[in-house]
Amino acid sequence: MYVLNKCKEQCARVRGEIELIEDQLKNLGDEEGDIKKEIDSKKMLLSVASNDIVCCNETEVSAQINEYQSILKREFEKANKVKSSKNRIEFRLEALQTELSNAERRLQKIQNVRYQREQQLSSISEDAMKATHWLRENRHLFAGEIYEPMLLEINIKRPEFTRQIETLLSRDDLLAFTCERAEDAGILLRELREVRKWRVNIVTMPDENKRRSIRPSPYPIAELRSELFELSDKETHIHIHMKLLSSL
């Protein structure tokens, strides 16, 4: 769920940036149009003044011509700055559109994988799947984080180790809901087991002292995560991590 949510957040963030940039481009386009009108107007006045120099006061007309030329110069400079800004923003927009396209493809892939895993979870334990849906709709009832079954979260990076990891992680481990707080575990037990009569496994993370008491592993968790598998969040199912580390 963590990876899925992060991907959704990325898509939303990029879409928001794209909207802002599109607004900026619209404003620059409007400004560019106003500058063009001003340039066209001054060009026309300059043309009229150039014709008047023959029949009118040459000094006054020359002063007008110089003024119009100065204005035109400033307007052309403004136009160049606006064009440069547009080019820079359009380049950024193109990069964001590419990022959004990649993020949406990744999101679709994650959603497809997640759907397959939910189907797998449902086939193994319909109660666990129903409990997962219930939890997603009722997270506001809990003070701490509650993690969904690891079966939905774990991603084995090196398939050749799949069987070894499956051996280390029991069926109960893969289907368990993990609570950060004992009081949340009590609420979840009551709501799922007592009220709804669903057969689900609910565990609580060990506290800091218990985690420190587990013997150090020669394989750092960061190395295991990068080489063997990854979870949606580094704190997900700490009790399973500890079991895995102490078993290697």
Side-chain angles (χ1 to χ4, degrees), residues 84-121:
S84 177
S85 295
K86 279 185 67 179
N87 289 340
R88 185 174 62 256
I89 291 174
E90 285 171 348
F91 180 79
R92 174 60 179 159
L93 177 61
E94 184 178 348
L96 284 171
Q97 288 171 335
T98 299
E99 181 182 353
L100 178 60
S101 178
N102 292 337
E104 286 177 336
R105 281 197 297 270
R106 182 166 179 255
L107 177 60
Q108 185 62 53
K109 182 179 178 181
I110 292 172
Q111 288 174 329
N112 290 342
V113 171
R114 191 159 190 83
Y115 174 76
Q116 293 171 3
R117 290 183 179 179
E118 287 180 353
Q119 292 296 104
Q120 183 183 6
L121 176 61

Side-chain angles (χ1 to χ4, degrees), residues 97-241:
Q97 288 171 335
T98 299
E99 181 182 353
L100 178 60
S101 178
N102 292 337
E104 286 177 336
R105 281 197 297 270
R106 182 166 179 255
L107 177 60
Q108 185 62 53
K109 182 179 178 181
I110 292 172
Q111 288 174 329
N112 290 342
V113 171
R114 191 159 190 83
Y115 174 76
Q116 293 171 3
R117 290 183 179 179
E118 287 180 353
Q119 292 296 104
Q120 183 183 6
L121 176 61
S122 182
S123 67
I124 296 173
S125 172
E126 188 174 344
D127 284 353
M129 192 66 252
K130 288 189 291 187
T132 299
H133 288 309
W134 181 91
L135 176 61
R136 291 173 184 174
E137 296 174 358
N138 294 278
R139 288 189 180 274
H140 61 281
L141 299 177
F142 305 97
E145 187 64 67
I146 298 179
Y147 299 99
E148 295 178 3
M150 189 186 291
L151 182 64
L152 298 176
E153 306 288 349
I154 194 169
N155 178 31
I156 300 173
K157 293 183 175 181
R158 294 174 60 179
E160 64 267 28
F161 290 104
T162 299
R163 186 163 297 279
Q164 289 90 328
I165 292 175
E166 287 177 347
T167 300
L168 291 171
L169 302 177
S170 70
R171 179 180 181 277
D172 286 344
D173 289 334
L174 291 172
L175 301 183
F177 291 84
T178 306
C179 303
E180 287 184 341
R181 297 168 177 261
E183 57 269 29
D184 285 341
I187 296 172
L188 200 61
L189 280 168
R190 183 176 66 253
E191 291 290 343
L192 301 185
R193 288 187 182 175
E194 297 176 15
V195 176
R196 290 164 181 80
K197 309 300 181 184
W198 292 336
R199 292 186 295 178
V200 293
N201 188 27
I202 299 169
V203 297
T204 305
M205 285 184 179
D207 60 29
E208 189 67 24
N209 291 332
K210 287 184 179 179
R211 293 206 296 269
R212 287 176 179 172
S213 68
I214 299 175
R215 68 175 179 83
S217 168
Y219 303 96
I221 187 65
E223 181 179 331
L224 288 171
R225 286 169 59 81
S226 63
E227 296 297 330
L228 299 181
F229 65 92
E230 64 181 359
L231 290 165
S232 60
D233 185 273
K234 68 178 181 179
E235 292 298 321
T236 302
H237 301 342
I238 287 180
H239 69 296
I240 302 299
H241 288 179

Side-chain angles (χ1 to χ4, degrees), residues 19-63:
E19 288 180 6
L20 289 175
I21 285 180
E22 287 175 340
D23 287 341
Q24 289 178 333
L25 284 175
K26 181 180 181 303
N27 293 335
L28 286 172
D30 293 341
E31 184 179 355
E32 194 174 40
D34 292 339
I35 291 172
K36 186 177 183 304
K37 289 178 183 178
E38 184 67 17
I39 288 174
D40 290 341
S41 172
K42 292 303 181 285
K43 280 183 175 179
M44 184 180 67
L45 291 173
L46 184 60
S47 176
V48 171
S50 297
N51 292 330
D52 288 346
I53 199 169
V54 178
C55 59
C56 300
N57 185 299
E58 183 176 346
T59 302
E60 291 181 0
V61 174
S62 294

